[in-house]
Amino acid sequence: MKKGIRKIYQEVAPTYELVNHILTFGMDVLWRKRTACLAAKIGAGEKYASRTSRPFFILDVCSGTGEMARDMAVRMRGKKAPKASIYAADGSLSMISRAKNKKHLRSVRFTLADAGRLPFPDRTFDLITVSFSTRNLNPDSQAMLSYLQEFLRILKPGGVFLNLETSQPPLSLIKTLYHLYIRLVVKPLGYLISGSRGGYNYLSYTMPRFYDAQGFSSLCRQAGFSFARHRLLFLGVAAIHTARK
Ligand SMILES: C[S@@+](CC[C@H](N)C(=O)[O-])C[C@H]1O[C@@H](n2cnc3c(N)ncnc32)[C@H](O)[C@@H]1O
């Protein structure tokens, strides 16, 4: 993980969740829950298909303050949900330490690790989730491909990568308004609440430049996933991608 990015997450960690909830009008919470619901469905389907009682191994990469891992831990408790073993990895100790004492996260195993060099053997996980982080990894497509290939390495054959990320609305008017919102609201308000100018300069730089949903699906296929599809969220300002090894 780059030093600059680590410094940003050290600065924003205390207010990270609050700023997200305000800037997205709470939609980030709903989107993570929806992703967790998909994760549980995938787990239930796999278990049914393989007819084994082995746990469903999940890794949440760039887990931050643990909201996605928590939502999955809660979901996986349902009667129809698979028995899951959840791991979480992030490159920032400040973010991980906020996650560790949360309710529902005691059973999640946290690791301090770079998303590009995950400390797990090949073919370990049935599912990898990433939320609001692929945009942070590296905007360069070659670098992004190598992160995706690292995810492929530790996924079992047939394993699934679920990615929740901001995207680019397909309608140009909505896209223009969305980019204006990032520049005029996200950047100054994020700075005002968190006190981190660098953090919200970086966020408002990466958001308009990230792939559109089709582009990210293509990149997943280019990395070697056999199948990639997406669903758009709230007019396409975000998207959930599902890609299979
Ligand atoms: C925007 S936060 C997202 C956190 C969480 N997934 C969520 O849904 O809110 C991005 C997280 O990615 C982590 N991160 C960024 N680059 C990373 C890298 N190369 N390796 C590991 N973690 C990284 C940061 O430390 C931060 O916790």
Side-chain angles (χ1 to χ4, degrees):
M1 184 176 180
K2 286 184 193 156
K3 257 192 191 166
I5 308 276
R6 185 172 300 123
K7 184 170 176 286
I8 283 175
Y9 282 102
Q10 198 176 334
E11 280 175 13
V12 305
T15 52
Y16 173 77
E17 290 182 14
L18 175 71
V19 175
N20 269 357
H21 304 339
I22 292 175
L23 294 177
T24 65
F25 305 97
M27 283 189 286
D28 66 311
V29 177
L30 300 178
W31 294 339
R32 277 194 209 86
K33 286 192 194 304
R34 191 160 164 193
T35 310
C37 180
L38 268 174
K41 273 189 190 155
I42 292 166
E46 299 296 323
K47 195 178 159 207
Y48 177 76
S50 60
R51 296 188 188 282
T52 66
S53 55
R54 64 172 174 77
F56 189 62
F57 282 93
I58 303 177
L59 173 66
D60 185 42
V61 181
C62 297
S63 53
T65 56
E67 290 177 286
M68 188 70 226
R70 180 204 51 208
D71 288 347
M72 289 194 287
V74 170
R75 270 275 157 193
M76 299 295 174
R77 288 218 202 115
K79 269 190 185 159
K80 288 183 184 165
K83 185 172 174 289
S85 196
I86 306 178
Y87 292 72
D90 196 281
S92 161
L93 201 53
S94 315
M95 294 294 269
I96 289 188
S97 53
R98 303 222 149 236
K100 275 201 158 169
N101 297 321
K102 275 190 182 152
K103 206 179 158 200
H104 305 303
L105 280 175
R106 281 184 206 117
S107 61
V108 175
R109 277 160 265 197
F110 283 90
T111 311
L112 182 68
D114 189 284
R117 279 191 309 276
L118 292 161
F120 301 103
D122 297 358
R123 299 184 289 277
T124 303
F125 293 97
D126 297 285
L127 177 70
I128 291 180
T129 53
V130 181
S131 54
F132 302 115
S133 303
T134 37
R135 186 174 27 83
N136 280 254
L137 291 175
N138 199 315
D140 172 72
S141 64
Q142 281 311 315
M144 186 63 83
L145 280 173
S146 67
Y147 281 106
L148 293 174
Q149 280 156 358
E150 176 66 353
F151 301 164
L152 270 168
R153 178 186 72 75
I154 59 169
L155 272 175
K156 291 178 184 166
V160 175
F161 167 49
L162 261 185
N163 186 61
L164 165 64
E165 187 51 275
T166 58
S167 189
Q168 307 304 330
L171 290 177
S172 57
L173 174 65
I174 306 290
K175 185 169 158 178
T176 307
L177 292 173
Y178 170 59
H179 288 186
L180 271 177
Y181 176 73
I182 294 167
R183 193 148 44 90
L184 303 178
V185 181
V186 170
K187 191 169 158 175
L189 198 59
Y191 168 45
L192 195 73
I193 304 171
S194 70
S196 168
R197 190 188 293 277
Y200 289 88
N201 272 348
Y202 180 68
L203 180 72
S204 58
Y205 177 82
T206 54
M207 281 174 81
R209 287 168 179 80
F210 193 64
Y211 298 87
D212 63 16
Q214 296 281 3
F216 194 68
S217 283
S218 308
L219 201 71
C220 289
R221 286 189 286 265
Q222 202 184 327
F225 284 97
S226 63
F227 164 91
R229 69 187 180 107
H230 58 263
R231 57 203 83 199
L232 300 181
L233 303 170
F234 194 64
L235 304 170
V237 299
I240 301 174
H241 281 78
T242 310
R244 193 173 284 274
K245 179 170 175 178

